[in-house]
Amino acid sequence: MKSVACGEDGGGLEAKTSCGHILTSRESNEGLFRNQIERDKLFEITKRFLAFAATFSLSFGNIIMNKLGLMQPNFFKVTHSYPSSIISCIHNAPPHGAAEVSRITSLVNESTTSRVLKDVHLSTQLLDGFLDLAEDNTSKDLETCGVLGAFLKEGTYYVTTLIIPKQDSTSSTCQAVNEEEIFAIQNEQSLFPVGWIHTHPSQSCFMSSVDLHTQYSYQVMVPEAVAIVMAPTDTSRSYGYFRLSDPDGMKIVRECQETGFHTHSEPLNGASIYEDCSNIYLNPNLRLEIFDLRH
């Protein structure tokens, strides 16, 4: 599907408001966070992220904790962008000829236990763009992972940034390194960490026990956080949008003290420990920026 962008291409990062006014990306992002409540929420999420990350990476925690509030900007180069130099926000009624936003409904079983969640819009270029960058690793049976960054507007998350960190990979694991680089980009662009994406190069499309613990670290910060699994060799299901069930799955993983690959008990009420997301939309009008920090 070809992406359609709204607004005039002025050679810079721009967004068109509902009234037709053109804003630069900096003006647009600043406008999104004028509401002090949203600023406070982002700051609280950042603090929780740092505290949680510190328990897993001492070097990352020390670097960020020592510099919080004093960090100088670190500017990273956008290595890929789709579809052009326009960031476009979707309107409730797209103009005639514009591509429609599609809700992900296939394979989704609505959970009766999970809380009501904000919608999350993803660029239609996200999955293919990520797979292209993961192709070399996939051909070597190595996993690849990336982090999703979004801005929040009127109760909806719009994922406009994919960060592919430096990482150590095997056929069944992928561990980000130099995590402070991820935080620097999120901080510079005022992005919420709304999830992650990774490949299963030779496995089926599912959430491993290690994946469940990784997802918990995102979902405890942002309830809408999504785990995207790409399984190019799975002929029955090549991708999935997953989350821990809430409260059942979240409680089980929170109380689990094991590491590495292991089994989890199932919720006593018969619910699943994780589920398909029902709040994900593919938005062809979103620009996607990719920061590939591996090179």
Side-chain angles (χ1 to χ4, degrees):
M1 181 184 297
K2 183 178 180 181
S3 297
V4 177
C6 303
E8 300 296 330
D9 188 348
L13 303 181
E14 299 177 340
K16 177 176 283 189
T17 65
S18 58
C19 61
H21 178 62
I22 300 295
L23 301 175
T24 66
S25 60
R26 180 177 296 276
E27 292 172 335
S28 179
N29 281 339
E30 289 176 351
L32 294 174
F33 292 96
R34 286 172 185 163
N35 187 303
Q36 189 60 44
I37 295 178
E38 292 187 359
R39 287 182 180 272
D40 292 344
K41 180 179 180 181
L42 178 58
F43 182 68
E44 180 62 27
I45 288 174
T46 300
K47 289 194 300 181
R48 292 166 64 185
F49 170 70
L50 294 175
F52 186 88
T55 66
F56 284 85
S57 175
L58 182 59
S59 61
F60 174 47
N62 288 340
I63 289 171
I64 301 302
M65 292 298 185
N66 290 338
K67 295 185 178 182
L68 185 60
L70 302 175
M71 181 180 292
Q72 297 299 315
N74 296 302
F75 296 99
F76 294 88
K77 181 180 179 181
V78 177
T79 53
H80 299 79
S81 63
Y82 303 93
S84 65
S85 57
I86 299 295
I87 294 179
S88 301
C89 296
I90 188 64
H91 302 289
N92 291 331
H96 179 70
E100 297 286 346
V101 176
S102 301
R103 184 183 184 187
I104 302 299
T105 56
S106 61
L107 300 175
V108 170
N109 294 318
E110 296 283 355
S111 171
T112 57
T113 59
S114 292
R115 68 184 71 183
V116 176
L117 301 170
K118 296 181 178 65
D119 290 337
V120 177
H121 284 228
L122 306 175
S123 167
T124 53
Q125 301 290 339
L126 176 64
L127 301 190
D128 288 342
F130 175 70
L131 276 184
D132 286 345
L133 294 175
E135 184 177 8
D136 185 56
N137 274 0
T138 301
S139 66
K140 300 173 183 176
D141 195 21
L142 297 174
E143 286 196 2
T144 306
C145 63
V147 178
L148 308 178
F151 66 83
L152 178 65
K153 181 177 182 181
E154 297 177 356
T156 298
Y157 286 109
Y158 295 91
V159 176
T160 55
T161 303
L162 169 62
I163 305 169
I164 302 179
K166 296 180 178 68
Q167 50 198 264
D168 294 327
S169 301
T170 70
S171 61
S172 57
T173 63
C174 186
Q175 177 64 50
V177 297
N178 294 357
E179 298 101 323
E180 64 272 15
E181 294 181 346
I182 302 173
F183 172 76
I185 294 174
Q186 292 173 336
N187 183 57
E188 289 163 7
Q189 301 198 18
S190 298
L191 297 172
F192 287 88
V194 295
W196 60 301
I197 182 171
H198 75 293
T199 56
H200 282 184
S202 57
Q203 300 183 65
S204 59
C205 186
F206 74 107
M207 291 282 280
S208 71
S209 57
V210 173
D211 294 340
L212 296 179
H213 282 265
T214 300
Q215 174 61 16
Y216 177 84
S217 70
Y218 284 94
Q219 202 168 317
V220 75
M221 295 185 292
V222 180
E224 289 78 9
V226 55
I228 305 177
V229 178
M230 305 295 298
T233 62
D234 187 341
T235 57
S236 63
R237 186 177 188 182
S238 60
Y239 63 89
Y241 303 91
F242 302 118
R243 66 187 305 275
L244 292 171
S245 58
D246 191 1
D248 301 295
M250 288 290 287
K251 181 177 185 293
I252 289 173
V253 176
R254 180 174 63 248
E255 296 175 352
C256 178
Q257 300 299 312
E258 296 190 53
T259 59
F261 293 102
H262 56 278
T263 59
H264 290 103
S265 60
E266 291 295 325
L268 297 177
N269 62 4
S272 298
I273 191 171
Y274 72 93
E275 61 192 12
D276 290 281
C277 295
S278 59
N279 62 324
I280 303 297
Y281 292 78
L282 293 182
N283 188 334
N285 303 309
L286 278 177
R287 181 192 179 197
L288 175 68
E289 291 186 336
I290 299 178
F291 293 82
D292 190 348
L293 307 181
R294 298 173 298 172
H295 309 294

